[in-house]
């Protein structure tokens, strides 16, 4: 009798919750304000929704991802049957829940090979051939090409010894005055090489020569993999001495030749939008679905993928004010390629519709800490604050943990996960991270528990990142936080800039100005 009564009570509570959420969040036809519920009310209801996200259900998804990896060579890496089966599993779950899903193509380099050694020659003001590899090396994944053009130094007055930690080429504005068709000469520095090369391409460069910065131990050519092979021009890395030599004259002309070919592989991103919500106001929620070839990738990042999946399944039949776009990214482990290519493929109007992006990458590390992306740069260290709206995301997640008396810390936007492309396009971002190869400090062990002096995830990018490489308590509480944040922003975007409206107002002002000029 008691058991039956309890089951009845459970069914009743579940039914009431299922009915209360859509009724509470339904937007009246007459609504004209930014939100129809106060943030306080939305917070209460989002917390109710979070209770529907159960760790045991997340674990079932993780078991399936492990099963998939085991049946497919032990991994779920992009471009492998294990990844394809993982995508099919998530897609099947979504379709059964009523979602219409879509995929977008992702390209990645399978292999890269030089047919012959690259050439770097100065043709003016004097003839000089630089030695390969003593003076320069080819950047791995560089496109092929044979270019003779004038060199232009980017954003630097080159001193006798290059400036350490140069920011040259890190911003599009660094290329102001760059003459299209020239070869960009860019000093090594603080931002990723790929950012510098991307900005060079946008400025119309015909090739790129990076050079080392002259610090002790950093003067020789540096062999590295820039990942992005689709620039369409040759890229090499020169020594400090060669860089200074090429920068010595304003009229230096060089021949830059790379004879190389990249073998391209293909995989997919998976996208699913909620049926309800304004299509012009999108809350994007994502996690990368692929792992590394070394293992099953259960913490990194089946954990985030499973939490996003379970959130999507529970939200499937709840009317939302704003459209929620769930995304499972491919080829993240190969250089954030899935999210980068997805965002790059959107028109500016489509980018402006995305009000914010929530990223969940590694949310159940065995020796975990609870790290929230530092949207406001409150620690004043490392990476700067995220785009406007990012502090509001951080504060919302902080509220979730604070309500439960759970500790948390900020963590920088280091560019190591899929929020990168969104931030680069001015879209506010935030999310949760429980640590990778970093070492837990004694202070963090006192705060979060676990073991000081040990990595947050000792199996990071290793074969042992399997089903046993999960902190169940972290998985439970952080998955609920995923559900909470998603539900909250699905109904309340207070404090999140409406870039679509700003663009529309700017266009209207421009049109009005043109009309006035025509008169």
């Amino acid at each position: 009798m008691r058991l039956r009564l309890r089951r009845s009570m459970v069914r009743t509570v579940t039914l009431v919750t299922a009915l209360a959420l859509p009724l509470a969040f339904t937007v009246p036809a007459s609504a004209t304000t930014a939100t129809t519920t106060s943030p306080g009310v939305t917070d209460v209801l989002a917390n109710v929704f979070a209770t529907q996200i159960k760790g045991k259900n997340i674990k079932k998804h993780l078991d399936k991802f492990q099963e998939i990896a085991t049946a497919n060579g032990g991994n779920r890496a992009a471009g492998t049957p294990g990844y394809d089966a993982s995508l099919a599993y998530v897609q099947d779950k979504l379709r059964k829940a009523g979602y219409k899903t879509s995929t977008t193509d992702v390209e990645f380099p399978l292999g890269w090979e030089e047919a012959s050694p690259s050439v770097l020659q100065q043709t003016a003001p004097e003839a000089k051939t630089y030695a390969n590899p003593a003076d320069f090396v080819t950047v791995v994944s560089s496109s092929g090409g044979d270019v003779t053009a004038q060199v232009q130094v980017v954003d630097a007055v080159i001193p006798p010894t290059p400036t350490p930690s140069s920011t040259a080429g890190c911003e599009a504005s660094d290329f102001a005055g760059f003459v299209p068709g020239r070869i960009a000469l860019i000093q090594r520095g603080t931002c990723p090489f790929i950012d510098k090369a991307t900005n060079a391409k946008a400025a119309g460069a015909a090739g790129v020569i990076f050079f080392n910065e002259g610090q002790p131990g950093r003067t020789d050519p540096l062999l590295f993999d820039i990942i992005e092979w689709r620039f369409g021009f040759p890229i090499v890395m020169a020594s400090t001495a060669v860089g200074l030599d090429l920068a010595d004259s304003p009229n230096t002309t060089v021949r830059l030749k790379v004879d190389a070919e990249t073998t391209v592989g293909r995989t997919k991103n998976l996208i699913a939008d909620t049926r309800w919500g304004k299509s012009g106001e999108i809350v994007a929620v994502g996690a990368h679905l692929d792992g590394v070839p070394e293992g099953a990738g259960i913490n990194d990042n089946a954990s985030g993928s499973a939490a996003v999946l379970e959130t999507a399944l529970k939200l499937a039949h709840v009317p939302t004010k704003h459209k929620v776009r769930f995304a499972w990214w491919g080829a993240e482990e190969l250089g954030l390629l899935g999210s980068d290519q997805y965002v790059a493929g959107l028109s500016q109007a489509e980018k402006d519709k995305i009000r914010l992006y929530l990223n969940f990458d590694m949310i159940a590390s065995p020796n975990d800490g609870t790290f929230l992306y530092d949207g406001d740069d409150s620690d004043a260290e490392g990476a700067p604050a995220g785009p406007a709206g990012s502090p509001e995301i951080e504060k919302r997640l902080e509220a979730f943990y604070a309500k439960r008396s759970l500790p948390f810390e900020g963590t920088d936007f280091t560019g190591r996960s899929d929020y990168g492309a969104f931030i680069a396009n001015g879209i506010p971002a935030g999310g949760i991270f429980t640590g990778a190869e970093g070492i837990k400090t004694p202070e963090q062990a006192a705060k979060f528990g676990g073991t000081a002096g040990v990595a947050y995830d000792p199996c990071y990018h290793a074969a042992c990142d399997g089903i046993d490489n999960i902190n169940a308590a972290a998985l439970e509480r952080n998955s609920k936080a995923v559900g909470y944040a998603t539900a909250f922003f699905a109904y309340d975007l207070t404090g999140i800039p409406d870039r679509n409206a700003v663009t529309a107002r700017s266009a209207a002002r421009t049109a009005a100005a043109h009309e006035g000029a025509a008169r």
Side-chain angles (χ1 to χ4, degrees), residues 457-479:
D457 183 356
C459 289
Y460 176 67
H461 283 189
C464 56
D465 185 13
I467 197 62
D468 296 326
N469 191 47
I470 290 293
N471 183 320
L475 183 69
E476 173 92 22
R477 64 175 174 267
N478 295 327
S479 294

Side-chain angles (χ1 to χ4, degrees), residues 290-379:
D290 65 313
V292 295
E294 287 77 10
I298 299 302
N299 185 41
D300 184 17
N301 180 43
S303 63
S305 294
V308 172
L309 173 58
E310 188 64 17
T311 297
L313 298 180
K314 288 294 186 288
L315 202 64
H317 302 295
V318 180
T320 55
K321 180 185 177 185
H322 309 293
K323 189 169 290 296
V324 181
R325 175 164 299 163
F326 296 101
W328 290 265
W329 308 117
E332 187 269 359
E333 298 290 5
L334 298 177
L336 314 178
L337 298 180
S339 54
D340 278 356
Q341 292 177 29
Y342 174 79
V343 175
L346 298 176
S347 66
Q348 188 58 53
E350 289 298 319
K351 293 175 187 176
D352 288 342
K353 291 177 182 179
I354 300 175
R355 297 289 297 275
L356 59 85
Y357 173 66
L358 301 176
N359 189 71
F360 302 107
D361 187 355
M362 301 180 67
I363 66 167
S365 300
N367 194 31
D368 73 303
T370 302
F371 303 112
L372 311 180
Y373 291 119
D374 189 9
D376 58 4
D377 193 27
S378 56
D379 62 6

Side-chain angles (χ1 to χ4, degrees), residues 108-113 140-141 229 261-265:
F108 62 92
L110 273 176
W112 178 88
E113 185 177 357
V140 175
S141 294
W229 68 100
E261 184 176 352
T262 300
T263 304
V264 177

Side-chain angles (χ1 to χ4, degrees), residues 134-223:
D135 294 328
F136 78 99
V137 294
T138 311
V139 169
V140 175
S141 294
S142 169
S143 301
D146 190 346
V147 179
T148 299
Q150 189 171 329
V151 167
Q152 183 167 341
V153 178
V154 174
D155 188 39
V157 177
I158 304 295
T161 299
T163 304
S165 301
S166 167
T167 61
C170 293
E171 305 291 338
S173 58
D174 294 344
F175 290 81
F178 187 87
V179 179
R182 289 184 177 176
I183 295 172
L185 180 62
I186 311 175
Q187 183 182 330
R188 175 184 182 175
T190 55
C191 67
F193 291 106
I194 192 169
D195 292 352
K196 296 171 184 276
T198 298
N199 290 330
K201 180 177 176 64
V208 170
I209 301 170
F210 294 116
F211 68 98
N212 228 329
E213 59 186 0
Q215 291 179 288
R218 300 178 78 170
T219 57
D220 295 331
L222 172 72
L223 184 63

Side-chain angles (χ1 to χ4, degrees), residues 15 60 84 138 153 164 166 215 228 244 353 404 407 414 498:
L15 179 60
K60 290 178 182 177
D84 295 342
T138 311
V153 178
S166 167
Q215 291 179 288
E228 177 54 75
L244 294 176
K353 291 177 182 179
R404 293 157 177 79
T414 59
D498 187 347

